[in-house]
Structures are given as C-alpha cells and as structure tokens.
Amino acid sequence: MAHACGVDFGTSNSTVGWQRPGQHALLPLEDGKSTIPSVVFYNADEEQFSYGRAALTEYLAGYEGRLMRSLKSLLGSGLIDGQTEVGGQALPFRDLLGKFIGELKRRAEQAAGREFTQAVFGRPVFFIDDNAAADKQAQDTLAEIALSAGFTDIAFQYEPIAAAFDYESTIDREELALIVDIGGGTSDFSLVRLSPARARKADRRSDILATGGVHIGGTDFDKYLSLAAVMPGLGLGGLLLNGTEVPSAPYFNLATWHTINLAYTRKAAEQLKDVYREVRERDKFARLIDLVEQRAGHWLALQVEAGKIVLSDSPTAQLSLDRLTPPEMIHLSREQFHTSIAPLISNVENTVVRLLSDAGVAADQIDSVFFTGGSSGVSLLRQRIAAVVPQARQVEGDLFGSIGAGLALDAVRRFS
C-alpha cells in the first residue's frame, strides 16, 4: 500500500485519496462520506472551530461566529495576506487555510490508520489567469501551508491530468480524451492520450498534448445567478435621489463566496447607512441592511447555490428566502440561469477551442470527453462543449471524486 496520498483541496469540496489494492481510493472524511465541504466556521459561543458539513450546520443553526468558504480562491490574490476577525481577534487567512489543510490531513490519517507525510496536491491549470508570477505565488503559498500542516514532501499535479489518470484506469483501449474539470473556482482542461499500456509509464509528459484553463467555476455561476435573480430585490440596479445607480459593491461582495465577510465590517455598515439616506427605494435597501446585520450573507449564498443545483436537473427551482424582511419566494427558471451565466460559458467554450488549436488537433480526432467537477453538470456548459467536439463520446466520471482518485494514483508513481 502506498505511503503517500493525493489531496484535492477544492474551492467548494475536498477529498483525500490513498491507493490500496482492491479498495476505493477515496478516504471517508466526514460522516462516512469521501467529500468534505471546504468550509471553516468559528463558533463564538463555544470558542472553537468546526469544518465541513458540521460547520455549515452550526452556522445555519444560528450560532454566533464567522463562516469562511471558498478559501482556495484567496490563493494568488492580494487577500491571502489579509485577515479576518474571529472571536474578537485577528486571524490571518493563511492560518485559516492551514487549519483546514491540517484538518484534512488529520481526518485522512484517522481513516487510513497511518500517518501521511508525502502528498500530491491537485492544482488548477491557472490559479490566476494571464499572470505567471501570481500563479507561481499561489502554488508556493499552498506548498508553504501544506508544509506547516505537517506534510514533508509535496508535489503538484494539474487537476484535469489527475482526472485523466482516474478515467484511464477504467478503459481497455487507447483514446484521445478531452478532460473537462469544472470546479468551484476554475474550469480546467487537458488533452491526453490514454491507454492501459500508457498507464504503466512513469513519465507521462509525452502523452499530454495540451492543458488549459480559465478562472471561472461554480461559485461564479452562483454569483451571477444571485446578481440577476436575487440582488435586484435588495436594491441592486436602483437609483439614488440624484439619478445615479445605487453602488454595486455590497451586492458583489455578498454574491461572491470569499468576499461575503467584507460586507460585515464596521466601515461597510456605515457606508450602507449613508447610502440608505440617498436611495429612492428605501424598502428594498432596508432589506439589504437587515440581511447584513443578521450576517446572513452565507445563508443567502447557500440558497442560491441550492437553486443552481436544482436547475441542473429541473427546468425550474424555488428559493424560500425566509430570513428576508419580509420573507420572499423567488421562482427561478433554467432559461434565466443560462442567460445570467452565458458570457461565462462562452469564455469556457473559447478556452476549449483554443486548447484544440494549441494542440493542433481537429475536433473529430477526439474520442471521448470526460466530465468531472461538481459544476460540470450545468446543461448549457455540456451543450456548448458538445458542439465543439460533436463526434466525441461523453463520459461522466465521479464529479466529486475523480481528481482525488487520480491524485492517489499519481502519488504512487511519484513516491513509491
């Protein structure tokens, strides 16, 4: 059995894989499940941290505290060197990431019954688009955090390549595969030659024809659905007495997972009160202020995310926003959702087209498209990618587990 593990630290969910003969690679991390939401909650009432589903449960139960999600999105951004107030004290974001990575390691070791000091971490093709220095800084920061959490040997693998390794373990002939990984924070792609024979090679660089990615993912879909369908009811797009639009910054902060806490600062609260005196539709803006005073931004984002998930399978969804004053039921349609994210999907589609062009591969040469990542189920996205490679067979992997399983395979090759 391998002594190294694969760590898929995701924007929305995380897994840890450990390769063992005849057994499923992913380790149970919470309540018997192999996935754990990438969430940290500081419970001020009990003065302790909780993680994953337990963190979300405590937050939704109304405990005083601070919820933090999409921490991965901080990597490579200026916010990574910032801090947030937790329990009346300033806690650096780096330390929060360290707490979560350390918790992943602890739970994986508990499930495996052994210590893990070596790990292959998954990473997006680009943490940051069009900025090589920031991208390198993001990987270096994650490496530093992993070392501080107790790992001693760390390697990195592109997440779509890891997913390709997992898919390769299921096929019986050679394929040219387009791997499509739509995660919480990024969309990543790889074009890889796969086969049972190639899987035995230690060096796979010649099999990777191209990789590409764009900083668009499921949390962006949440954001633009929220801005289109929910935030107008809180005053977004309204006018001030002087005829100019209400400032949009509070709405964007509340619609973006990793900036929600910025709406709760004292300075932000004072700015909202200043704007309230100048708005025409005070009833709507008062609902925004009430939401912020409740610190219910994460609750609202969770409702929008749940609606998005429903719309992946159903033509309509309902959001019961019972914490608003007054409570409101919002009806969502798949068409409305697709319209809100259409520019994002076009960007993703263009990235795939460029990938094929960079590799010098024609669309009809692709044998299969392998989908993974929790946000790859969005129907508009699948339709647009199918239009790019219409003759390719579509295969759905474990949307939340293929990367972690592939990283576990890679860990054996690198550290055995």
Side-chain angles (χ1 to χ4, degrees):
M1 293 185 292
H3 291 266
C5 65
V7 180
D8 178 20
F9 168 44
T11 301
S12 299
N13 293 279
S14 296
T15 64
V16 178
W18 178 38
Q19 191 63 29
R20 297 157 290 169
Q23 296 190 52
H24 186 56
L26 298 184
L27 292 165
L29 299 178
E30 184 178 25
D31 300 332
K33 298 180 175 64
S34 59
T35 61
I36 180 172
S38 303
V39 180
V40 180
F41 179 66
Y42 177 76
N43 187 323
D45 293 335
E46 299 182 6
E47 298 184 349
Q48 65 183 18
F49 288 91
S50 57
Y51 305 87
R53 295 172 187 84
L56 291 170
T57 297
E58 290 185 18
Y59 167 75
L60 292 173
Y63 284 97
E64 282 294 320
R66 181 63 60 90
L67 185 77
M68 288 144 287
R69 190 178 179 187
S70 294
L71 292 170
K72 185 178 179 180
S73 298
L74 299 171
L75 293 169
S77 76
L79 291 173
I80 189 62
D81 291 317
Q83 57 190 27
T84 187
E85 183 180 315
V86 174
Q89 297 183 339
L91 185 67
F93 286 124
R94 285 175 182 263
D95 291 358
L96 281 171
L97 266 72
K99 283 183 175 294
F100 185 78
I101 297 295
E103 185 67 13
L104 277 183
K105 183 176 185 292
R106 186 191 70 79
R107 293 186 184 213
E109 290 173 340
Q110 183 178 46
R114 66 164 58 194
E115 182 183 17
F116 291 120
T117 57
Q118 300 168 316
V120 177
F121 274 73
R123 59 149 293 167
V125 175
F126 299 113
F127 280 103
I128 304 294
D129 295 340
D130 303 319
N131 190 330
D135 188 77
K136 181 180 184 302
Q137 181 185 20
Q139 178 173 300
D140 290 346
T141 300
L142 182 53
E144 292 167 5
I145 290 170
L147 289 170
S148 71
F151 290 105
T152 58
D153 293 299
I154 297 166
F156 287 92
Q157 180 59 270
Y158 290 141
E159 289 158 356
I161 299 297
F165 293 155
D166 180 51
Y167 175 49
E168 187 175 50
S169 69
T170 70
I171 63 177
D172 58 8
R173 59 185 174 83
E174 181 162 314
E175 294 186 13
L176 179 55
L178 170 64
I179 310 299
V180 177
D181 169 29
I182 314 297
T186 59
S187 295
D188 296 295
F189 312 94
S190 61
L191 198 57
V192 193
R193 293 195 185 281
L194 304 173
S195 74
R198 292 176 186 273
R200 293 191 288 270
K201 293 166 54 180
D203 187 346
R204 300 300 302 274
R205 283 176 291 183
S206 63
D207 295 332
I208 302 169
L209 277 64
T211 57
V214 63
H215 205 260
I216 292 172
T219 56
D220 299 291
F221 300 157
D222 298 344
K223 173 181 179 178
Y224 282 92
L225 178 59
S226 180
L227 291 171
V230 177
M231 295 303 175
L234 303 180
L236 178 63
L239 298 177
L240 301 177
L241 296 176
N242 62 9
T244 61
E245 278 200 7
V246 171
S248 61
Y251 302 100
F252 276 79
N253 281 340
L254 287 169
T256 306
W257 276 104
H258 63 280
T259 61
I260 290 174
N261 286 318
L262 297 179
Y264 302 152
T265 65
R266 186 176 294 106
K267 180 179 178 181
E270 292 172 353
Q271 290 174 338
L272 288 180
K273 292 177 181 178
D274 290 339
V275 174
Y276 176 75
R277 290 190 285 269
E278 301 296 326
V279 298
R280 292 183 180 181
E281 297 179 289
R282 289 192 171 184
D283 56 337
K284 290 184 177 180
F285 204 80
R287 303 175 84 195
L288 172 67
I289 292 176
D290 183 62
L291 181 81
V292 171
E293 289 178 346
Q294 291 185 59
R295 296 199 170 192
H298 289 92
W299 163 82
L300 183 63
L302 285 167
Q303 309 314 304
V304 174
E305 180 186 44
K308 174 198 69 176
I309 292 170
V310 170
L311 292 173
S312 293
D313 297 316
S314 304
T316 61
Q318 293 186 341
L319 302 186
S320 178
L321 305 182
D322 54 1
R323 289 197 186 183
L324 295 183
T325 306
E328 182 177 2
M329 180 74 74
I330 292 182
H331 301 275
L332 303 176
S333 69
R334 182 179 290 170
E335 181 181 6
Q336 181 184 30
F337 174 46
H338 286 176
T339 298
S340 70
I341 65 171
L344 303 179
I345 298 297
S346 293
N347 202 338
V348 171
E349 179 186 9
N350 291 337
T351 303
V352 174
V353 171
R354 285 196 302 273
L355 182 79
L356 299 182
S357 177
D358 291 345
V361 171
D364 60 6
Q365 293 179 270
I366 306 299
D367 297 306
S368 57
V369 181
F370 181 75
F371 288 98
T372 188
S375 297
S376 67
V378 173
S379 56
L380 178 63
L381 182 142
R382 293 205 178 192
Q383 293 165 16
R384 298 283 280 274
I385 291 179
V388 175
V389 285
Q391 297 180 37
R393 180 170 57 97
Q394 292 199 14
V395 181
E396 182 173 295
D398 182 339
L399 297 188
F400 297 98
S402 288
I403 293 172
L407 291 171
L409 283 168
D410 200 32
V412 173
R413 294 170 182 153
R414 289 174 184 256
F415 294 113
S416 63

